[in-house]
Amino acid sequence: MNGKLIVSEAGRDRVHELCDERTVIGTGVDADLHLKQAEVASAHCEIKRTSSGFKIVDLETASGTTINGNVVNQHALQNGDTIQLGAARLTYLGDSAATKAKPKSAPPSPLTFHPTNEEGEPRRFYRHEGQSGLGAGPKAALILAALSILALILVWLGKSIPNEEGRKQLQEAQALIAKKNVGSVRKGLRLLETLPPGTIQERTLEEMKEKAKEKIFNLERGKTNIEAENEFRRILEYHLSHKNDTGYLRSQIPLFKKRYPDSQRIEELERRLSTAAGGGASKQAAWDAAEDGLRTFLGKDDYKGAFDVLKRMEADDDFVRGHGTRIATYRGTLERQFGRHFAKEKTRALALHQQGKVELAKRIYQTLASVGCEPYSSQAKLLLTKLQ
């Protein structure tokens, strides 16, 4: 026995083959045929395979199971029966429940004459002679098969052939997305997202959506870049005509960074503020020289020279006003590096002391003490005292 259900739900059709002896229909995760209807129970009804066909049984639900408009507890399914569960409609296609077999017809009465041909001679009689067309059984089977095929074709057509409204919506979306206006592309994307199912293949639709989103991103980025450039020029023009007004730059840069966080003009504005706050071009040149000296001393592991440069930076009011944050960063970095250097040199001095090379150990402690970075300098002086 063969059977299947055409499930119509949420505007879409799908086919569920009745392959098992028992098929539970409901909204629960354990249901064999899962529906998405709030008014349907988790295990609403079941379809059983019997010796005479398929039978649907309501699982004692509050609303019952509706077959062909009638609420039933159980029902022997016939081909074309409609099962209504909430907003979902299930159409049964397949073998009907067996009906009572018709009594065999009486055997034909014996011939009372012998057929002859045109010459009057006896001829052979064939049993199929006198019959016209197919019998009732074969005809019913052919009709059932034709109806099943027609139903499947209609379901397939409903999924694959877009309606005229869907075509028009797709064309409108494509026309909007082709424009170079962000608002138009957004409208086109919304039309794609509400396109009737089956208008185009899902994969093609997703690709079109992604391209529309990418175009929106590029258009918005271009618009933002133009706006950022105009705002930068406005700030710069005011700064150039009011070079002593560093407060204006200080107030405008945070706003600019908030509005255009990806703009390459942020660095230039901050550099101009640093130059203006640091005492002008000549002071900026002095600052650049101090930074170069600091890097040179660090490259030679000359921590005394590096700390001397840093102390001069910290003592210069213009440097602190224009580069205070960077000076604090230099201080933290230099102290961490010297801490590691101090630990390594201390270990080396202890090893030399154990080898009897006391003078070499003393020179190491003297060098560490001269750097002037506390608490390391004090520790080095203490160790030096113990050796003397």
Side-chain angles (χ1 to χ4, degrees):
M1 293 179 295
N2 299 318
K4 64 184 71 176
L5 295 174
I6 306 299
V7 183
S8 301
E9 184 181 22
R12 296 191 175 186
D13 294 337
R14 53 192 168 106
V15 179
H16 183 85
E17 300 284 348
L18 298 174
C19 302
D20 301 324
E21 296 296 321
R22 178 174 179 262
T23 301
V24 176
I25 305 172
T27 57
V29 294
D30 296 328
D32 301 306
L33 175 51
H34 185 80
L35 300 178
K36 300 178 181 179
Q37 303 295 321
E39 57 270 34
V40 176
S42 59
H44 198 98
C45 59
E46 65 178 4
I47 296 178
K48 294 182 177 180
R49 183 191 297 270
T50 67
S51 59
S52 59
F54 289 97
K55 178 172 69 174
I56 186 168
V57 180
D58 181 73
L59 297 177
E60 299 182 358
T61 58
S63 58
T65 300
T66 302
I67 308 293
N68 300 328
N70 300 316
V71 179
V72 299
N73 290 326
Q74 57 181 351
H75 175 76
L77 289 172
Q78 304 291 325
N79 181 60
D81 278 350
T82 300
I83 306 165
Q84 192 74 34
L85 299 176
R89 185 178 71 256
L90 290 68
T91 303
Y92 170 74
L93 299 177
D95 296 335
S96 301
T99 57
K100 292 184 179 180
K102 294 182 179 180
K104 293 182 179 179
S105 59
S109 58
L111 293 174
T112 57
F113 66 96
H114 297 283
T116 60
N117 57 21
E118 295 179 353
E119 287 76 18
E121 298 177 351
R123 67 178 178 84
R124 185 180 298 276
F125 177 78
Y126 296 95
R127 183 173 294 275
H128 68 271
E129 287 185 357
Q131 297 179 354
S132 59
L134 297 172
K139 283 183 177 179
L142 286 175
I143 293 173
L144 176 61
L147 289 174
S148 301
I149 293 172
L150 179 61
L152 291 174
I153 290 174
L154 290 175
V155 170
W156 179 80
L157 288 175
K159 286 184 176 182
S160 61
I161 299 180
N163 55 32
E164 188 63 26
E165 182 180 352
R167 288 197 191 94
K168 290 181 179 179
Q169 185 170 331
L170 176 60
Q171 292 173 355
E172 184 180 356
Q174 291 174 322
L176 288 169
I177 293 173
K179 297 181 179 180
K180 296 183 179 181
N181 178 274
V182 176
S184 298
V185 180
R186 287 189 182 278
K187 290 180 181 179
L189 178 59
R190 285 196 293 270
L191 289 177
L192 289 180
E193 291 172 343
T194 58
L195 204 63
T199 303
I200 57 175
Q201 293 183 352
E202 288 294 328
R203 182 176 179 180
T204 304
L205 179 59
E206 290 303 318
E207 290 177 354
M208 293 177 66
K209 290 180 183 178
E210 289 302 319
K211 289 181 179 179
K213 292 176 182 178
E214 182 179 356
K215 186 170 183 178
I216 290 172
F217 174 79
N218 291 331
L219 288 173
E220 288 183 336
R221 183 173 61 181
K223 180 181 178 182
T224 302
N225 289 341
I226 293 174
E227 292 176 351
E229 189 66 21
N230 292 336
E231 181 67 6
F232 167 76
R233 293 186 181 282
R234 184 189 67 79
I235 296 173
L236 184 62
E237 287 176 2
Y238 181 88
H239 167 67
L240 293 176
S241 59
H242 303 78
K243 290 185 177 181
N244 295 327
D245 188 2
T246 58
Y248 177 77
L249 273 181
R250 290 184 190 278
S251 65
Q252 292 298 306
I253 289 177
L255 296 175
F256 187 88
K257 291 170 70 175
K258 183 177 180 180
R259 292 172 185 166
Y260 315 107
D262 299 325
S263 175
Q264 298 178 353
R265 294 296 193 178
I266 293 175
E267 184 177 353
E268 184 172 350
L269 288 174
E270 290 179 334
R271 182 180 60 79
R272 287 182 176 276
L273 174 61
S274 176
T275 301
S282 60
K283 206 67 177 183
Q284 183 64 35
W287 168 259
D288 293 340
E291 280 192 313
D292 290 340
L294 188 61
R295 285 190 286 266
T296 300
F297 285 127
L298 286 176
K300 298 177 180 180
D301 285 338
D302 184 351
Y303 286 94
K304 184 179 185 310
F307 273 106
D308 288 344
V309 173
L310 181 62
K311 289 175 183 177
R312 289 197 296 271
M313 288 179 170
E314 293 172 335
D316 192 308
D317 292 338
D318 289 333
F319 284 174
V320 172
R321 186 165 51 250
H323 311 282
T325 302
R326 184 168 294 185
I327 291 173
T329 301
Y330 280 141
R331 165 65 68 175
T333 302
L334 192 54
E335 288 180 350
R336 285 193 297 273
Q337 289 184 4
F338 181 67
R340 292 192 290 269
H341 175 75
F342 179 87
K344 182 175 68 175
E345 290 296 288
K346 177 183 175 182
T347 301
R348 188 164 72 92
L350 289 173
L352 290 171
H353 183 214
Q354 291 174 357
Q355 296 171 11
K357 300 176 181 180
V358 179
E359 291 302 320
L360 290 177
K362 285 182 178 180
R363 282 201 291 272
I364 291 175
Y365 289 140
Q366 288 171 349
T367 302
L368 293 175
S370 67
V371 171
C373 178
E374 297 297 342
Y376 305 110
S377 293
S378 297
Q379 293 180 25
K381 290 177 183 178
L382 181 62
L383 292 170
L384 181 61
T385 301
K386 291 181 179 180
L387 290 180
Q388 292 176 346

